[in-house]
Amino acid sequence: MRWFVRSAGVVLLLTGLAKLWSAVGEARVLGVRDPLFGLTFGQLMLGVGLVELVVAGVCLVGQRERLSLVLVGWLSGNFALYRMGLWWLGWKRPVRSMPVARSE
């Protein structure tokens, strides 16, 4: 259990930092409104990145493994519900006219 909590903490730390870094970027998609919450994707990424960092902190420096497990489960459940909400709305990508990057 300790190994899982610590590894989840490392993953959440990295993804939280990546979200914060991306949220302050210049990409056009950051200004697009999220269909579920009405926030811009930049605001949403900033908020989710901060939540991920808090949960990562509890996992990495906290002594309460049960709390860490509950928080990781809560966060992953929220991610799943968010994706199901997007699926329910039929949402595919932020802007249909925005070209998808292709590697050539």
Side-chain angles (χ1 to χ4, degrees), residues 3-90:
W3 182 88
F4 174 78
V5 167
R6 298 293 187 244
S7 62
V10 169
V11 170
L12 289 170
L13 177 67
L14 295 174
T15 58
L17 290 172
K19 281 183 179 71
L20 292 179
W21 180 267
S22 297
V24 298
E26 298 294 325
R28 286 187 303 170
V29 71
L30 295 174
V32 175
R33 295 240 174 243
D34 167 70
L36 289 176
F37 296 110
L39 302 169
T40 66
F41 280 106
Q43 293 168 327
L44 190 62
M45 287 181 68
L46 182 64
V48 173
L50 291 172
V51 170
E52 285 182 1
L53 290 180
V54 168
V55 175
V58 171
C59 289
L60 293 173
V61 299
Q63 300 300 317
R64 299 174 61 192
E65 286 182 346
R66 187 179 211 92
L67 175 61
S68 297
L69 290 171
V70 167
L71 289 175
V72 170
W74 169 79
L75 187 58
S76 61
N78 278 301
F79 287 152
L81 286 173
Y82 178 77
R83 295 301 298 173
M84 286 191 298
L86 292 177
W87 173 79
W88 182 264
L89 292 174

